[in-house]
Amino acid sequence: METMRLYNGIEIPAIGYGTWQSPDSEVTVNGVKTAVASGYRHIDAAAVYGNEVSVGKGIAGCGVPREELFITSKVWNTERGYDATLAAFEKTIKDLGCGYLDLYLIHWPASAHMYADWEQINLDTWRAMTELYKAGKIKAIGVSNFKPHHLEALMKTEVKPMVDQIEFHPGLLQEKTAAYCRENNILVEGWSPLGTGRMLDNEVLKDIALRSGKSVAQVCIRWCIQHDILPLPKSVTPSRIKENLQVFDFELNAADMEKIDLLNNFGGSGLDPDQVDF
Ligand code: NDP
């Protein structure tokens, strides 16, 4: 597995295994085990997915030592603030049974449309994350779904975010946020790299996949990587779990990259952090 590097020197495997909408059951235990057996070393979890116990069982039974895995989780919106974040972290590492986290993210920013003191709420959450990081309980800290105006206050703190995990797939380039992160040494991770499946029937992508001898899913994942965005494909289907890793043996040429870039404005989830009601 190739890796990308965070500004604090931590290496992060270049594709992560997504776990949103994976059930809290043997399906997910087996999904995680299949992923690790297929070569994934990076697992993207979150408390709100309601399946961290099953993800943890998969990790415990995967046969690869904990220190060879890169495990991410996220603090949910109801646990924002200093004390609640510290407690949420303890619950997550207990559920995952993993001792420490490689990466912990603020799942969504508190935003002005819901909170007058949104910036302070994010700073209080960040103070807890920073403390956990300095205590060595988390190897890297970051955010998710933050736009530049949400990031600005955090960029003035002692430890700046290392990652921003945002929706990123053909049809949704999030150029302003991606550029801001590039300029500030923040690695961007792409959630829903297949648009939760919405990319798969697109004719432009199908044509490129056919000519590349690859699947549409592999084209989407490869396109993220060539944009230096770390993709997090999710599947509980063994053949797809493996397929989604086989993207390091081909390259999209500049013309095809541009064709995909020009698909901008389709297939997005519509979840705007400045408008969501959660
Ligand atoms: P993806 O964009 O990865 O799409 C997953 C869907 O596509 C599933 O229905 C899966 O089916 C199917 N699929 C996967 N691989 C293939 C393939 N090769 N061929 C055909 N179909 C395929 O999904 P998500 O929206 O789940 O996003 C990925 C991850 O990003 C999440 O799991 C989560 O970890 C993260 N995320 C983070 C968010 C955030 O706010 N930070 C928000 C949303 C997601 P099946 O499983 O049945 O095989």
Side-chain angles (χ1 to χ4, degrees), residues 16-22 40 43-46 48-49 74 76 105-108 143-145 165-169 189-200 215-218 221 231-244 269 271 278:
Y17 177 68
T19 61
W20 178 45
Q21 293 181 321
S22 298
Y40 291 79
I43 296 160
D44 185 73
V48 75
Y49 301 163
K74 314 178 191 96
W76 185 240
L105 306 175
I106 303 181
H107 208 142
W108 288 82
V143 296
S144 177
N145 300 301
Q165 182 180 123
I166 58 174
E167 184 175 3
F168 189 89
H169 49 70
E189 296 183 341
W191 61 255
S192 294
L194 318 179
T196 321
R198 293 183 296 275
M199 302 296 104
L200 302 173
S215 68
V216 171
Q218 289 168 324
I221 294 164
L232 303 167
K234 173 266 175 184
S235 177
V236 292
T237 312
S239 60
R240 292 171 173 174
I241 291 173
K242 293 186 182 82
E243 177 187 325
N244 293 346
S269 68
L271 297 175
F278 51 82

Side-chain angles (χ1 to χ4, degrees), residues 149-225:
H149 61 274
H150 301 116
L151 276 162
E152 261 160 32
L154 272 48
M155 295 307 292
K156 294 180 194 128
T157 65
E158 184 188 356
V159 181
K160 296 166 186 49
M162 290 145 202
V163 167
D164 192 0
Q165 182 180 123
I166 58 174
E167 184 175 3
F168 189 89
H169 49 70
L172 192 75
L173 281 90
Q174 301 236 40
E175 282 156 318
K176 279 190 191 147
T177 302
Y180 181 92
C181 288
R182 218 174 7 256
E183 283 157 20
N184 288 285
N185 263 326
I186 299 170
L187 178 84
V188 175
E189 296 183 341
W191 61 255
S192 294
L194 318 179
T196 321
R198 293 183 296 275
M199 302 296 104
L200 302 173
D201 293 330
N202 180 275
E203 292 302 326
V204 172
L205 295 172
K206 276 160 80 173
D207 172 61
I208 293 171
L210 192 67
R211 283 190 284 104
S212 305
K214 289 286 177 180
S215 68
V216 171
Q218 289 168 324
V219 166
C220 292
I221 294 164
R222 180 73 209 177
W223 173 83
C224 285
I225 291 171

